[in-house]
Amino acid sequence: MKRFLHYLSLHPLITVMAPLFKMLEASFELFVPLVVARMIDIGIGQHSPLFLWHMGGLLILLGVIGLGFALAAQYFAAKSAISVSMAMRKDLFTHILSFSYQEIDAIGTSTLINRLTSDINQVQNGLNMFLRLFLRSPFVVFGAMAMAFTVDTRAAIPFAVTIPVLLAVVFGVLLASMPLYQKVQKQMDQVVLSTRENLLGIRVVRAFSRQNKEKGRFRQETDSLYRKQIFVGKISALLNPLTYVIINLGIIAILWFGGLQTDSGSLTRGQVIALINYMSQILTELVKLANLIILLSRAMASLARVNAVFDISPSIPDRGRSVSAADHGVSSHSVPAVSFEHVSFAYAGSGQETLRDITFTAMAGETIGIIGGTGSGKSTLANLIPRFYDCTSGSVRLFGQDVRSLRPSSIRERVGIVPQKAVLFSGSLRQNMQWGKKNAADEEIYRALDIAQAREFVDSKQQGLDLMIRQGGGNLSGGQKQRLTIARALTGQPDILILDDSASALDFATDARLRKAIREHTGQMTIFIISQRVSAIRDADHILVMDNGRAEGYGTHEELLRGCPIYQEIYASQNAGKEAASHA
C-alpha cells in the first residue's frame, strides 16, 4: 500500500480534486429532499403555484450545478487513475527487465504479462471508482442520516438501525470475496499460459494433430476459471438484494412511524416524503458502494499480485564496476579474455548441479568450440559469461575481473550473444540490427550482414535495410533468421561473441562460409561456438567437450581425437553418417 500511495502522491492536485468535487455534488443532492418537502407542504398544501415554480427552478439549478461538479470529478478521477496505472506499468516493466534468468524462470512469462496488463487494468478501474465514490457514498449515507434527524428525531430512528446493519453486510462480503478474487486472478494466469503456449506452438500442435487434446486442456482451464468466477460472483451478488431488503425494511419503518406521527399532527406529509427520499438516497449510494466494494476486491487482489512482483529483488542487480576491454588488456596475450576457475552451477530449486568443476581459459582472438550431447550443459555454461546467471561456486573472469564484481549491463556491452532460438522483433531490418549498436551506420550493418552471409538474401528482397520484419521474424525462414541474429550481434563489434548453436538451420556450405568470414574479419574478438556438429568447431583454437555437466576434454581437434573418448565417439558417429550417405 505504501508503494501505491507513492504513485498517488505523484499527482496530488488531481487526486484530491476528484473526491472534492464529488462531495460538492453530494452536498447539493442532500438539499433536494428538503426542497421537495417544501413543495409538498407549501406549494401543494397551500395551493401556491408560484412557490412550486420557484422551487422547481431551484431543483433544476441544483441539478445543473451537481452535473458540473460530477463531470469535473469524473475527469479528475480518470486522469489520476490513468496516470497512476501508466507510472506503475512503466516501473513494473523496468523492474521486470532488471530480473535475471533465475527470476524469469521462477515466475513465468505468462504470469508477468498478466500482471502488466490485466492486473494493472484492474487497479486502474478500482482507483477510478474509488476516487469517485469513496467519499461521496459515505458522505451521502451519513449526511442523509444527519439530515433525517434534522427533519424529525423520532421518525429518523430507522436510519440509526439500518445503516450499521448495511455496513456489516458490505464489509462481511468484502472480507469473504477478496481472497476468492485472488484465486480467480491466479487461475487467469493459467488460462493465459495455456493460450500463449498454444498460439506460439500452433505449428507443433497441428503437426502432431493435438488440436483436440489442446482444446480439452484449454476447456479444463477455462471451466475452472468459470467455476471460480461464478462462486465468487454469487457471494458478491448477495450485496444488492441484501441491501435492497434492508433499505426497503427501513422505508417500511419510516412509513409506519411517519404515518402515526402524521396522524397525530407532529409530522407533515412533506417531511415523510423527505425521509423516504433520504432513505432512497442511501439505497442508491449503498448499491454504488456495493459495486465499488466488488471492484475494490478485485483491484486489491490485483494490487497484491503486482506488489508481489515489485517485492522480488533481482538476484543479479545492475551495479558494480564497468568493464572496459582496453583497461583489462583484451589486446594483451597475458590476460585471458574469459576464464572459468572450478565453476559449478545449479538452477534455483534444483538439487542437482548442472555444471561441475569447469576450468578453462580463452585468450583474446581465440575461437573456442564447445561440443557435447543434449543436456550436457553447453548453453548453461555460455549463459554464465554475460552473467545471465551467477555460478554457485568457483569464479568466471572477464579480462581478469570476476564477473560478480562487474555491472551486468557493462558486461553485455562487450559480449555479443546469438541464442539458440533466433528472435527478431517487428520493425525494419535496420531497427533490428541497431539492437547490436545504437545508431549503427548503414555501412556497419552491411558489413555485419556480409560476414553473417545474409547480404545476398537481403539484397534479393530489394528493400535494403528498410525491409520490414514481422513479429518473431514470421516472414523469414529459419536460416534467414539465424543469419540476421548473427549479423545483429556482429553489428555491435563485441569483444566476445557467443554463437549458441546458432547455425543449426544452415546448410553445410553456408555454415562453412559463415565460419570462414567470422574467422577472417573479427580480429581480436574472442569467439565461442556451441554446436553439436564436429565440422562447426573442428577448426577452433581449442575445443571444450562437455558431458553431463563436466568438462571431459579440452584441446585442439587433433589432440581430442587422440585422447578424449567422448569426442572420438561424437566424431565417429558423425563421420559414419556421412560415409553411409556417400555410399547410398
Side-chain angles (χ1 to χ4, degrees):
M1 187 57 69
K2 183 178 180 181
R3 183 180 292 110
F4 183 69
L5 293 176
H6 164 71
Y7 286 112
L8 279 178
S9 67
L10 297 177
H11 307 280
L13 182 61
I14 60 175
T15 301
V16 171
M17 293 297 281
L20 177 62
F21 275 108
K22 272 295 181 181
M23 286 184 65
L24 290 173
E25 177 205 357
S27 300
F28 284 93
E29 190 173 319
L30 289 174
F31 288 109
V32 170
L34 295 180
V35 175
V36 172
R38 290 179 63 81
M39 291 175 71
I40 293 172
D41 291 337
I42 299 175
I44 296 176
Q46 299 179 13
H47 305 286
S48 177
L50 183 61
F51 186 82
L52 286 174
W53 280 107
H54 286 163
M55 291 297 100
L58 180 59
L59 284 178
I60 293 173
L61 180 62
L62 290 173
V64 170
I65 295 174
L67 176 63
F69 285 140
L71 292 176
Q74 292 183 7
Y75 168 77
F76 287 118
K79 188 171 183 179
S80 176
I82 291 172
S83 299
V84 166
S85 66
M86 181 179 68
M88 184 180 293
R89 188 176 287 110
K90 178 183 175 183
D91 288 350
L92 183 61
F93 184 72
T94 302
H95 184 64
I96 290 172
L97 290 182
S98 72
F99 287 165
S100 69
Y101 282 13
Q102 180 175 322
E103 287 79 46
I104 300 293
D105 295 342
I107 303 171
T109 306
S110 60
T111 298
L112 293 175
I113 292 173
N114 214 20
R115 306 286 168 95
L116 271 170
T117 53
S118 175
D119 284 322
I120 291 185
N121 285 339
Q122 290 278 15
V123 173
Q124 175 183 315
N125 294 334
L127 175 60
N128 188 5
M129 295 302 296
F130 180 74
L131 292 177
R132 287 162 56 180
L133 296 175
F134 89 102
L135 281 183
R136 174 193 160 83
S137 292
F139 182 78
V140 170
V141 169
F142 291 105
M145 184 173 68
M147 296 295 283
F149 276 97
T150 63
V151 173
D152 186 84
T153 304
R154 289 179 59 195
I157 290 176
F159 286 84
V161 177
T162 302
I163 292 176
V165 174
L166 286 170
L167 291 177
V169 169
V170 168
F171 284 103
V173 172
L174 172 64
L175 293 175
S177 60
M178 187 176 293
L180 295 175
Y181 278 118
Q182 290 178 338
K183 293 181 179 179
V184 168
Q185 289 299 107
K186 187 175 182 180
Q187 183 61 34
M188 181 67 75
D189 286 344
Q190 292 299 115
V191 173
V192 172
L193 174 62
S194 180
T195 304
R196 184 174 182 273
E197 284 182 341
N198 276 277
L199 291 178
L200 290 177
I202 187 66
R203 290 179 175 84
V204 178
V205 172
R206 290 179 177 174
F208 287 90
S209 298
R210 299 276 292 185
Q211 293 96 319
N212 291 333
K213 181 72 174 179
E214 291 304 309
K215 285 178 185 177
R217 185 166 74 96
F218 184 76
R219 190 179 298 111
Q220 287 179 353
E221 298 290 354
T222 52
D223 284 349
S224 178
L225 176 63
Y226 168 79
R227 288 192 298 271
K228 290 177 180 177
Q229 285 179 321
I230 289 295
F231 181 67
V232 69
K234 287 178 179 178
I235 294 176
S236 299
L238 290 173
L239 273 175
N240 281 357
L242 288 176
T243 302
Y244 274 99
V245 167
I246 295 170
I247 288 293
N248 285 322
L249 289 174
I251 292 175
I252 292 172
I254 291 172
L255 287 171
W256 175 265
F257 291 111
L260 293 176
Q261 290 179 267
T262 301
D263 287 342
S264 65
S266 60
L267 201 65
T268 66
R269 286 171 294 177
Q271 289 174 321
V272 173
I273 296 299
L275 290 171
I276 293 174
N277 282 340
Y278 280 128
M279 187 63 81
S280 297
Q281 283 185 347
I282 292 174
L283 171 63
T284 301
E285 292 305 318
L286 283 175
V287 168
K288 293 179 183 178
L289 188 61
N291 292 327
L292 174 64
I293 293 298
I294 295 171
L295 194 59
L296 285 180
S297 298
R298 297 176 180 174
M300 292 297 289
S302 293
L303 181 61
R305 286 157 52 84
V306 171
N307 281 330
V309 178
F310 271 121
D311 290 338
I312 297 174
S313 299
S315 58
I316 305 178
D318 192 31
R319 58 173 179 261
R321 298 179 53 190
S322 296
V323 58
S324 169
D327 293 343
H328 298 306
V330 69
S331 60
S332 170
H333 291 287
S334 60
V335 179
V338 177
S339 62
F340 277 58
E341 300 175 359
H342 303 287
V343 170
S344 296
F345 173 78
Y347 288 102
S350 173
Q352 186 176 4
E353 290 184 330
T354 306
L355 298 177
R356 292 184 290 277
D357 198 26
I358 306 294
T359 299
F360 72 92
T361 59
M363 306 302 293
E366 284 189 338
T367 297
I368 306 297
I370 303 177
I371 194 170
T374 302
S376 59
K378 304 186 299 297
S379 296
T380 302
L381 184 148
N383 286 332
L384 296 180
I385 298 173
R387 209 184 170 197
F388 291 148
Y389 298 98
D390 274 341
C391 58
T392 51
S393 64
S395 64
V396 179
R397 295 185 175 274
L398 199 66
F399 310 121
Q401 300 294 310
D402 193 321
V403 294
R404 286 170 293 197
S405 68
L406 302 174
R407 196 171 72 252
S409 58
S410 176
I411 295 173
R412 291 156 199 169
E413 289 173 0
R414 296 291 179 179
V415 178
I417 305 154
V418 185
Q420 286 179 318
K421 183 180 179 181
V423 177
L424 295 170
F425 298 89
S426 57
S428 68
L429 176 59
R430 179 182 290 105
Q431 290 171 329
N432 272 273
M433 293 300 102
Q434 286 176 340
W435 277 65
K437 179 182 180 182
K438 288 183 180 179
N439 303 318
D442 289 358
E443 293 78 12
E444 295 176 284
I445 296 174
Y446 276 119
R447 178 179 177 274
L449 291 172
D450 284 330
I451 298 173
Q453 307 302 301
R455 179 70 176 268
E456 181 180 352
F457 86 80
V458 168
D459 288 342
S460 69
K461 302 285 186 180
Q462 298 181 353
Q463 296 180 49
L465 298 180
D466 294 321
L467 172 67
M468 293 306 297
I469 308 295
R470 294 179 190 168
Q471 180 183 354
N475 56 334
L476 300 173
S477 70
Q480 289 171 341
K481 287 191 288 187
Q482 283 192 337
R483 281 177 279 174
L484 288 182
T485 55
I486 293 171
R488 179 176 61 194
L490 290 170
T491 300
Q493 298 178 359
D495 296 312
I496 298 169
L497 177 65
I498 301 173
L499 304 175
D500 187 358
D501 206 11
S502 54
S504 57
L506 303 184
D507 59 82
F508 284 98
T510 304
D511 186 18
R513 291 197 301 271
L514 170 65
R515 286 183 280 108
K516 180 181 178 184
I518 291 175
R519 187 166 57 250
E520 292 176 350
H521 296 93
T522 51
Q524 288 295 301
M525 188 183 298
T526 304
I527 302 169
F528 289 85
I529 301 176
I530 300 173
S531 178
Q532 296 188 37
R533 296 179 185 172
V534 172
S535 60
I537 50 90
R538 65 178 298 163
D539 295 326
D541 296 297
H542 295 93
I543 300 170
L544 179 66
V545 182
M546 298 291 297
D547 183 57
N548 197 26
R550 293 184 179 276
E552 298 295 343
Y554 186 69
T556 63
H557 171 70
E558 290 76 15
E559 290 171 346
L560 293 172
L561 279 181
R562 290 193 299 268
C564 181
I566 293 177
Y567 189 76
Q568 293 168 359
E569 182 180 341
I570 296 172
Y571 179 77
S573 63
Q574 294 183 11
N575 277 304
K578 291 180 182 178
E579 290 175 4
S582 65
H583 288 310

